[in-house]
Amino acid sequence: MTADDRSARALARLLAGVGTLHFLAPNPFDALVPRRLPGTPRAWTYASGAAELAVAAAVALPRTRRAGALAAAGLFAAVFPANVKMARDWRHRPAPLKALAYGRLPAQLPLIGWALHTARAATPPSAG
């Protein structure tokens, strides 16, 4: 197994773990849903959890890894508004919690980079 394969599997595990948490402990995720979105926060929590699980499965399989990794990059970018909401909501919390909330904002960039690297490293689908 190559380093790129191990990295892709680690990305899939991360996505699967966080996706699973959306169902096992949804309340913290509900609190991150921007109020402007239609529907209930729980519906968005479950939808994003399902999306993370689907993307994890796609990244885990070599045949769909490229598309899955590109979807992961898009997903990481799409959840950025939730991280902004968390930072705004936690701005009056104690310093360690505020640091965690603000630290999530730039943390999206390496996640997006990891997903894009995984997409580039994936074996191109065979023609035919």
Side-chain angles (χ1 to χ4, degrees):
M1 180 183 305
T2 68
D4 286 333
D5 287 331
R6 285 190 297 277
S7 178
R9 288 176 187 230
L11 178 60
R13 283 191 303 274
L14 172 75
L15 288 159
V18 175
T20 300
L21 280 175
H22 281 69
F23 295 97
L24 296 178
N27 289 339
F29 297 100
D30 291 348
L32 299 178
V33 176
R35 291 179 198 89
R36 294 180 181 172
L37 291 176
T40 66
R42 183 59 51 92
W44 285 99
T45 293
Y46 286 159
S48 61
E52 286 180 336
L53 290 171
V55 169
V59 171
L61 299 171
R63 184 178 186 137
T64 57
R65 183 165 293 155
R66 181 182 301 276
L70 290 172
L75 186 62
F76 292 142
V79 300
F80 187 75
N83 292 336
V84 170
K85 181 182 184 307
M86 180 183 183
R88 182 166 167 70
D89 289 349
W90 288 26
R91 69 187 180 277
H92 300 298
R93 295 227 177 153
L97 293 176
K98 189 175 7 179
L100 174 70
Y102 283 104
R104 288 176 57 117
L105 297 173
Q108 292 304 116
L109 291 175
L111 289 172
I112 292 167
W114 185 10
L116 292 174
H117 171 79
T118 300
R120 283 190 301 273
T123 303
S126 60

